[in-house]
Amino acid sequence: MRIAVFISGTGSNLKSLIDAEKNNEFNSSINLIISNKDAKGLFYGKGANIPSFVIKNDNEILEKLKEYKIDLVVLAGYLKKVSDVILKEYENNIINIHPSLLPKYGGKSFYGIKVHREVFENNEKYSGATVHYVDENIDSGNIVLQEKINIQKFNSPEEIQKEVLKIEHNILKKAVKKIEEEK
Ligand code: GRF
């Protein structure tokens, strides 16, 4: 598959995919990177010579996806809701990585450290990360892969975030491999 990765921030999930491609952990190729702002993660795209663009308008993004013949869109820390313009064309071909065990701690206000703060304050025994298909709601599509860890020994939301991010990096590339094998 030809993959586009959408980012808004540091891009560590993007980097994990770029490294996985380099290590032949899946057969797909990352052919395009889109960000809704001048995100630090764009640096990784430049380093890997992947065409990268800051585009805010979903119609323009859709044009780019078609121009680069993209099969699968991967939202990796993309903090903007994907509009119907793109969802219609790419239904069941958009996945997202979320830093909790969905459906718990997902939805509109659950992103970044806020997820882990809620998990910590609720004394959850486990947390983890989820890769899911993107539908018209937020964090609600069918789950592709999920991995959990016991967080009872962690003493802060930041510690949970750090450990969950490692899981994200591990399951996102596995999800790409699973999807390419299913196609
Ligand atoms: C990650 O925790 C991801 O799950 C969430 O936003 C964060 C982005 O991290 N959606 P990065 O930009 O991939 O480093």
Side-chain angles (χ1 to χ4, degrees):
M1 298 181 295
R2 293 175 58 85
I3 293 174
V5 183
F6 289 15
I7 63 170
S8 297
T10 47
S12 70
N13 278 288
L14 165 63
K15 169 109 175 54
S16 72
L17 288 179
I18 291 173
D19 293 346
E21 181 184 347
K22 232 180 273 168
N23 299 331
N24 301 311
E25 294 183 55
F26 47 69
N27 300 323
S28 300
S29 54
I30 303 166
N31 302 94
L32 177 65
I33 296 167
I34 301 271
S35 180
N36 61 319
K37 60 186 192 176
D38 187 18
K40 276 192 275 179
L42 291 169
F43 163 80
Y44 294 121
K46 290 193 176 37
N49 294 320
I50 301 170
S52 305
F53 303 91
V54 176
I55 309 177
K56 295 181 190 293
N57 176 290
D58 276 16
N59 289 299
E60 281 177 50
I61 291 176
L62 185 57
E63 284 316 305
K64 272 288 180 241
L65 293 174
K66 289 180 177 174
E67 182 188 342
Y68 282 81
K69 300 181 175 45
I70 296 301
D71 301 304
L72 178 74
V73 174
V74 179
L75 307 185
Y78 188 63
L79 293 181
K80 198 167 157 250
K81 191 172 183 317
V82 174
S83 71
D84 290 348
V85 165
I86 296 175
L87 282 173
K88 261 203 297 291
E89 292 276 327
Y90 278 86
E91 191 170 5
N92 300 323
N93 287 301
I94 308 182
I95 59 173
N96 179 51
I97 174 83
H98 181 80
S100 79
L101 297 174
L102 291 177
K104 293 178 85 171
Y105 304 102
K108 195 156 173 33
S109 61
F110 285 103
Y111 59 89
I113 191 67
K114 289 177 74 172
V115 174
H116 310 291
R117 199 170 287 135
E118 282 290 302
V119 166
F120 183 73
E121 281 160 15
N122 289 345
N123 294 311
E124 293 286 353
K125 191 173 175 188
Y126 296 101
S127 189
T130 307
V131 179
H132 63 95
Y133 281 105
V134 173
D135 62 16
E136 63 285 354
N137 302 309
I138 296 182
D139 297 333
S140 63
N142 291 337
I143 290 175
V144 179
L145 274 184
Q146 194 167 75
E147 200 172 293
K148 73 179 186 181
I149 43 164
N150 185 315
I151 58 169
Q152 286 174 296
K153 61 181 182 297
F154 298 143
N155 302 310
S156 72
E158 287 70 20
E159 270 186 71
I160 298 172
Q161 181 174 45
K162 191 161 145 267
E163 292 309 312
V164 167
L165 197 55
K166 290 177 194 164
I167 295 184
E168 293 177 47
H169 297 165
N170 190 27
I171 66 170
L172 189 53
K173 58 188 177 184
K174 284 181 182 169
V176 168
K177 184 155 182 61
K178 181 171 185 240
I179 292 169
E180 69 183 17
E181 285 169 352
E182 283 167 357
K183 284 212 180 285

